[in-house]
Amino acid sequence: PLLPSLARSVYLFLHSRRLKRRADSPLVDSYYVGFKVATFFDIGVVLALGTAWVLTYRGHGGAAYYLDPAVSLLLALYMLYTGVTLTVGNFKILMDLPLPEAEQLKIMSVLAREFENYENVGNIYTRRSGRQRFVDIELYLKANTSVEDIMRLQTRMQGHLKEHFEDVKFSLIPLPPPAAGGGD
């Protein structure tokens, strides 16, 4: 009865591996890990039974009694490891995390490209939720900047950001120029 289960596990594992290469999805990753664990489990059980049979046949039946718990322990530890790894990875996808420094530098390069179109930079808010990146930038603009100019600047900056990031939501937060002689 284990051989059909092993054949099914191997087939589903190979199929899910092909899907994993094509789709960047946490759900596909979860299925892939599940089928991988099931395949290793079935292989471990078949090997343990086969080895125990050979040991018993050769007159070393006492060693066969230790083989099953040893293989079971190794499989349980592997299952625990993959379960914790998958859980941590899925929680990271659900959490809002700051963008890595390399990605923040790309945002700074976009600001540098548009340097002539604003007075100063305020706060830059970045976060990542799942595969989605969110970038909100406060820019101090000249007092005579029209709404149309602000919208064109936002569209250009969003285009520049999309050159670096596949999935980004961008907001430009326009601020009036700082008061002359006033300190923040």
Side-chain angles (χ1 to χ4, degrees):
L2 285 174
L3 294 179
S5 175
L6 176 61
R8 175 189 162 274
S9 295
V10 169
Y11 171 76
L12 291 173
F13 167 65
L14 294 174
H15 184 66
S16 65
R17 187 171 65 181
R18 273 185 265 130
L19 284 175
K20 183 179 180 337
R21 289 180 185 155
R22 281 191 274 155
D24 186 22
S25 164
L27 184 61
V28 172
D29 290 345
S30 296
Y31 278 116
Y32 168 75
V33 169
F35 293 135
K36 182 178 174 182
V37 167
T39 301
F40 285 160
F41 178 80
D42 288 346
I43 289 171
V45 170
V46 168
L47 286 176
L49 284 174
T51 306
W53 181 78
V54 169
L55 287 172
T56 303
Y57 181 75
R58 293 184 175 239
H60 303 290
Y65 290 113
Y66 297 107
L67 185 63
D68 184 42
V71 170
S72 297
L73 179 63
L74 289 174
L75 287 171
L77 290 173
Y78 178 70
M79 288 177 183
L80 184 62
Y81 169 76
T82 56
V84 169
T85 303
L86 187 62
T87 302
V88 168
N90 285 336
F91 270 112
K92 283 184 178 178
I93 287 172
L94 294 173
M95 290 174 31
D96 286 351
L97 299 171
L99 294 181
E101 197 170 301
E103 293 183 12
Q104 291 180 19
L105 288 173
K106 291 176 183 177
I107 294 168
M108 297 304 286
S109 73
V110 169
L111 283 168
R113 285 173 87 173
E114 295 292 337
F115 181 70
E116 296 83 28
N117 298 310
Y118 60 87
E119 294 282 316
N120 203 349
V121 178
N123 292 315
I124 301 173
Y125 305 100
T126 65
R127 67 184 173 96
R128 183 179 187 141
S129 182
R131 302 194 192 315
Q132 179 91 47
R133 290 169 184 85
F134 295 88
V135 178
D136 300 324
I137 301 176
E138 293 179 346
L139 291 180
Y140 290 97
L141 304 172
K142 297 175 185 158
N144 61 351
T145 305
S146 69
V147 173
E148 186 177 323
D149 291 338
I150 294 170
M151 294 307 297
R152 276 197 296 265
L153 176 61
Q154 179 169 335
T155 302
R156 277 195 318 272
M157 289 180 75
Q158 185 163 9
H160 298 317
L161 287 169
K162 286 190 183 242
E163 291 171 10
H164 297 291
F165 309 114
E166 185 176 308
D167 198 7
V168 63
K169 298 282 186 199
F170 172 67
S171 295
L172 172 66
I173 303 168
L175 299 173
D184 287 342

